[in-house]
Amino acid sequence: MSQPVLQVRDLVAGYEPGVPIVRGASITVNKGEIVIVLGPNGAGKSSFIKAVAGLVPVSSGQVLLDGVDITAVPAHQMVRRGLAFVPQTENIFPLMSVEDNLRVAGGILKPKESAERIERMYELFPDLKSFRRNGAGNLSGGQRQMLAVARALIVDPKLLVLDEPSAGLSPKFVSMVFGMLTDIRKTGVTILLVEQNAKAALSIGDRAYVLVEGKDAHEGVASELWNDPVVAELYLGQRAHQKAGGAT
Ligand SMILES: Nc1ncnc2c1ncn2[C@@H]1O[C@H](COP(=O)(O)OP(=O)(O)OP(=O)(O)O)[C@@H](O)[C@H]1O
Ligand SMILES: [Mg+2]
């Protein structure tokens, strides 16, 4: 039986009162799954996961983590609740050493536990161990994302949520990031991933949702969605719609 780790029901959220960007989105992420959220530019993918992570005000709907209601829990308390969010940008402290980045991220842990978790992250990400004393700003793009993910994993979250971890990376690092996520999943971590890089994301995901205009418009098995005519239609339809909108 699949066990839901994250259940989002009819979520409505936005930056200003009365201007919903997320308009009734519902998704489920089961234990051990990698679930992908795809969608055209401006569909509200980032807003959606930020609302889930407590970073965008929610006006209605529900977010349950392991059955516990975490709707609108402030972002800084989400880590304690078991949800770790990796933003698309500014997800590390470039002026700090790699190790200090990890130490700060594990700030809610007891010192002994923090030290153990840092060692565990070095086992998972040997590159980070090699550069532990280096400034994080000197890491390559791929290693930076590795550090950002390690910072999120250090607290051993129930759910790892990532916004476009492959954005802006060269193809070599894109495959490194997706390889890393596959490895992480093997350790039992449940992952929710927003990606522009649909083909690569679908190749590592279990299930995927297509978000259009702030609502889940389609859902399917990741490996089947790439060739799904409905997905093509949703993307193309949205583009046509935007063009029509832009002309007025
Ligand atoms: N901080 C903000 N304040 C106000 N509106 C915002 C803010 N961030 C995003 N929006 C608006 O919300 C809508 C959805 O943006 P969002 O970034 O969530 O889409 P997205 O699907 O992640 O797009 P992309 O594929 O480009 O990353 C857009 O119309 C955008 O202008
Ligand atoms: Mg986005």
Side-chain angles (χ1 to χ4, degrees):
M1 251 325 261
S2 49
Q3 183 192 338
V5 171
L6 180 76
Q7 290 167 283
V8 182
R9 295 177 186 151
D10 302 323
L11 197 67
V12 179
Y15 302 88
E16 294 162 47
V19 188
I21 301 291
V22 180
R23 301 187 182 111
S26 300
I27 71 163
T28 299
V29 183
N30 294 311
K31 196 165 172 51
E33 275 189 321
I34 296 182
V35 169
I36 318 288
V37 174
L38 304 172
N41 286 116
K45 303 179 296 294
S46 296
S47 304
F48 171 69
I49 53 165
K50 283 183 190 165
V52 168
L55 290 160
V56 170
V58 171
S59 51
S60 64
Q62 243 190 345
V63 182
L64 304 178
L65 188 69
D66 258 355
V68 177
D69 194 332
I70 59 157
T71 318
V73 164
H76 67 275
Q77 287 174 20
M78 281 293 181
V79 161
R80 280 184 201 278
R81 301 297 196 102
L83 186 150
F85 177 58
V86 182
Q88 185 179 335
T89 54
E90 293 170 33
N91 51 24
I92 61 163
F93 295 110
L95 299 178
M96 282 186 191
S97 70
V98 166
E99 186 144 314
D100 283 346
N101 264 274
L102 293 174
R103 200 170 286 128
V104 169
I108 65 164
L109 305 173
K110 296 194 178 79
K112 181 166 174 284
E113 203 184 351
S114 169
E116 283 167 9
R117 289 297 297 169
I118 289 174
E119 282 312 312
R120 175 75 184 123
M121 291 305 116
Y122 288 154
E123 281 169 26
L124 275 176
F125 309 104
D127 274 18
L128 296 184
K129 185 166 188 173
S130 319
F131 295 113
R132 63 200 289 172
R133 309 269 172 243
N134 292 43
N138 297 327
L139 296 175
S140 72
Q143 289 163 341
R144 275 184 185 226
Q145 288 302 57
M146 201 182 265
L147 177 59
V149 170
R151 296 188 74 237
L153 286 181
I154 199 149
V155 295
D156 197 11
K158 291 173 183 155
L159 179 71
L160 176 66
V161 181
L162 305 110
D163 192 1
E164 294 205 36
S166 79
L169 296 181
S170 63
K172 186 180 96 183
F173 290 136
V174 170
S175 40
M176 185 181 116
V177 164
F178 284 109
M180 166 180 77
L181 293 176
T182 308
D183 290 345
I184 290 168
R185 187 262 282 279
K186 285 185 196 141
T187 70
V189 177
T190 306
I191 299 175
L192 174 62
L193 176 65
V194 164
E195 259 299 335
Q196 284 283 345
N197 204 332
K199 195 167 192 178
L202 290 176
S203 73
I204 66 154
D206 297 298
R207 289 184 307 110
Y209 292 85
V210 183
L211 205 70
V212 179
E213 294 180 359
K215 198 169 164 33
D216 52 303
H218 193 53
E219 182 205 341
V221 173
S223 59
E224 294 168 5
L225 272 189
W226 182 247
N227 294 314
D228 187 326
V230 180
V231 173
E233 177 65 30
L234 286 170
Y235 273 82
L236 295 171
Q238 175 71 4
R239 265 189 230 136
H241 176 81
Q242 278 175 344
K243 266 191 203 145
T248 53

